Every structure is written in C-alpha cells, then in structure tokens.
Amino acid sequence: MRSSIPGLGRVMVVLAAALASASFAIPEDWGEEGVQYGQLGTDVTLPCPGVRASSPVQWRRAGATALPEGSAVQQGSLVLPRASLAFMGTYSCHGEDGGLLHTVSLRLGHAPGVPFVSCRASDYENFSCSWTSSVETFLPTRYITTYRKKSLTGEEKRRNKNGHVGLCLQDPSRPGTCTVHRSEFWSSYRLNITEVNPLGFSYRLLDVTMQAIIKPDPPEGLVVEPIPLAPRRLHVSWKYPSSWPKEPHFQLRFRLQYRPVIHRSWSVVETVNLSEVITDAFAGLEHVVQVSAKDFLDAGNWSEWSAEARATPVRDLVFTASEETTTDARLESLAEEPSQAPNPEPINRSDPLEKMAVLVSLGIFAFFILAAVLVITILIWLRVRKHGKDKTKPNFLVAATHLKALPRKAA
C-alpha cells in the first residue's frame, strides 16, 4: 500500500488494520533545518515567510546567475514548474532593499514505492526479513518494521488485545534487515515493513510461516581427503552450521555434490551423516566437492552450497607399475638401437586393445570353422549310414523271392 503526503505537516503513518491499532508520528524536519522537499515532475512553491503578498520580493539561486527557466514569483513565493533534479539547490528571498529575508535548500524526489520484502530463518528460533525499495526516491528514507503473531491461544489474546505486536529489530550494522527473536517454529507471523520519506509512506504486509522460510546456513568445516590404497575413493566430512542449534528435535540432512575439476557435470549424493565416502572418483584427477543442508523433515529450502574443497584420489598402483615397466622397456629398446641408422621396419603403433580385439576375432572365426566342419561331418555320416541300409534291403527281397519259387512236395 502506498500513500503520498503533501506539504510539510506532521505525518501520521497508520499501519494496516490487520496489525495492532498503533500509529507512528513522523517528524517534519528529518533532522535537516532549512530544507524543503518537493515532488519531481510537479510544480514546487517556495514561500518567503514574513513577507506581505503585495511587497516586492527578489529570489536568487546560490551559484547561478538566473533562476530556473519558467519560474515565477507569485505573491512573494517562488513557483518552479515541473521541477526536475536540476532545480535542486539553495534559494534565498530578498526585500526591496536587497536585504536577506529567508534561505531554503530545495531537495526533490519521489514518494516511496511498495518495498520488496523477503524473509528467511537460518534456525528454528529466529527469523530475519530484508527489503529493498522499489523506487529510487533521492530522499532520506526510514523504515518502520513490526510483526504480529497469528493464531493466538486464548491466554495470549487475553494478555494482549493487539495480538502480540512487536518490533522486528533493525541492526544498524546490517541496513535493510530486521530480526524477530525467539520466534516459534510452528507459528505464523504477519510482517509490516513501512517505508517513509518526507513525501509519503508505503508499506508491505507479508505472512510468514516458519516451516516455509527455514533455510539453514551452509555446513562448515568441509574436509576432503584421499583414502590410501583406494584409487577411486575420497573421504568427505563436515560440521553443522554454527547458527543451527544442536537439538535432537531439529536435525539436518545433507546433499553432497562432486566432480573432477576438468568436468562440468556434478554427481549428487544425499545423506544424514556428517561424512561420506565417494566411491566413483577418478584416480589421479583433482576433484571439487561442496555440501548443502536442509531440515531433516524437508521443511523450507536447501542452504546455499558451502565453500569448495578439493582433493585428488591416489593413483592405481597396478596401473602405475605397469606404466613404469612399459616406459623402462621402451627406453631400453631405444638405447639398443643405433642412433644414426634408421630402422627399415615399420614402427608398430598398435594398441594392446587392438591386439586383443584381433585375437577375439580370430577365435570367433575359428569357432565357426570348427562348427561348419562338424556339421559337414555329421551330414556325411548320416548319408553313409543311409546308403548302407539301402544295400541290405534287396538281399532280403531276393531271399524271400527264391523261397517262394521253390517247388512244393506232392501230398
């Protein structure tokens, strides 16, 4: 909500009806004597106190030979049309004899806009709100920050008819923030952040639920260490943020992200412990690790990522030994060769994996050859066996025919 207050009278900023029926008086001088404030883009009138309307008055501007273009003197007052920032300065009115009658410093700006407000709880006992102005006013600005607890018990309502209204305390060392101390995790609050300047006021009402705005600070003391004789492992440990009270009822869970420095994509692991072992690191490559925290019951949001920590897993001893052996063998072979006569044979640059692939291919080819030979052998055997049966069958037929043709004895 926004309101402009014309003139320099005392300003009463009445907070919303949802808050307590309290009012705040804003002093007109803002601690600066002889200063008049005006709205940019409007006609601004500078009066000359104690001068009669019919008396001749001269107006001058300090450091300038002439008044702003379009300005006019009306009944002793100086009228500046459609005032811009260029009109700011010190003006003085003088009598007919040139004597100084009054001096005023003009400052121009805008009335406040509705501020942008966000709240966050880094623990379950306090929460803070921060704000920024939505309008560049060019004027001195103050903030009135209050809160009211919602959903009161009957006893609280009897004790405080206004609904437990309190101040969201501002810290001069942290401008633009205020803190509600000893808040209740299961309660809701209504915040009022009111921005006030000499031209008016504007306020923002914000309903806050602790479970929704809880956001722990990042974990602290992150340490990453290589594990001896484990080329793909890193041990990671950390501590609770110091701002989070160590109570058994409000625990944190954690999210760990890590990657080799030369890679861009992260691997992420969640845990409830204060340490974790990375089991899929790349041997011999430096890794970067970060950790964040969130309420154990998933309330609110994840914290920001902690500061980076780096470590390099130990190198694989077997790989290192084989690599050193290969290097030594190459050096020895180079030492045995003459240094001036070139080797007439082509250099074998084949990779061990290529040799293995060739051997596997030859094995597969040999298997198919043996299978084909076996199939051909079986077919030949079946054919020979069938042919043998065919030769045996006619002999039986000849014998049977011969017996049938023998003469029968007479009865």
Side-chain angles (χ1 to χ4, degrees), residues 8-251:
L8 294 176
R10 293 177 65 83
V11 179
M12 300 297 294
V13 179
V14 182
L15 301 183
L19 294 175
S21 56
S23 61
F24 298 85
I26 308 301
E28 63 180 52
D29 57 7
W30 287 79
E32 296 179 279
E33 185 177 357
V35 178
Q36 179 173 331
Y37 299 95
Q39 177 79 36
L40 282 168
T42 64
D43 295 346
V44 176
T45 300
L46 302 179
C48 187
V51 176
R52 296 179 182 179
S54 58
S55 300
V57 174
Q58 296 179 2
W59 280 90
R60 303 172 187 172
R61 182 183 182 187
T65 58
L67 295 173
E69 184 179 357
S71 59
V73 178
Q74 298 178 2
Q75 298 181 351
S77 298
L78 178 64
V79 179
L80 303 174
R82 298 181 298 279
S84 66
L85 290 175
F87 288 13
M88 292 196 303
T90 301
Y91 294 82
S92 59
C93 61
H94 301 261
E96 187 176 4
D97 57 356
L100 178 64
L101 299 177
H102 178 67
T103 301
V104 61
S105 179
L106 176 63
R107 295 191 63 178
L108 299 171
H110 297 287
V114 179
F116 299 111
V117 182
S118 62
C119 296
R120 175 196 166 213
S122 59
D123 58 65
Y124 54 85
E125 294 179 341
N126 313 278
F127 69 90
S128 299
C129 295
S130 59
W131 59 85
T132 56
S133 178
S134 61
V135 175
E136 179 62 49
T137 65
F138 306 104
L139 297 177
T141 303
R142 298 172 184 170
Y143 291 90
I144 301 169
T145 54
T146 61
Y147 74 91
R148 177 175 65 86
K149 181 182 175 183
K150 301 173 67 178
S151 304
L152 300 176
T153 63
E155 183 179 354
E156 288 174 328
K157 290 181 180 179
R158 287 192 298 271
R159 282 190 286 124
N160 192 338
K161 295 181 180 180
N162 290 332
H164 191 63
V165 174
L167 290 177
C168 186
L169 299 178
Q170 300 182 44
D171 185 353
S173 64
R174 298 173 58 201
T177 62
C178 69
T179 303
V180 175
H181 296 284
R182 295 186 177 182
S183 55
E184 298 177 0
F185 189 78
W186 306 110
S187 298
S188 298
Y189 297 84
R190 172 161 290 182
L191 269 292
N192 182 309
I193 309 298
T194 301
E195 181 178 341
V196 185
N197 74 11
L199 299 181
F201 72 93
S202 184
Y203 65 87
R204 169 85 67 181
L205 298 178
L206 184 66
D207 290 333
V208 172
T209 302
M210 289 289 289
Q211 299 96 311
I213 65 171
I214 194 74
K215 182 180 180 180
D217 290 327
E220 301 172 359
L222 178 62
V223 177
V224 185
E225 299 173 318
I227 299 177
L229 304 179
R232 300 204 64 189
R233 295 174 181 261
L234 289 172
H235 182 266
V236 186
S237 62
W238 58 89
K239 298 178 182 178
Y240 266 57
S242 56
S243 59
W244 189 269
K246 296 177 176 60
E247 296 289 342
H249 305 295
F250 295 93
Q251 299 292 319

Side-chain angles (χ1 to χ4, degrees), residues 190 211 270 309 384 387:
R190 172 161 290 182
Q211 299 96 311
E270 291 192 17
V384 170
H387 183 68

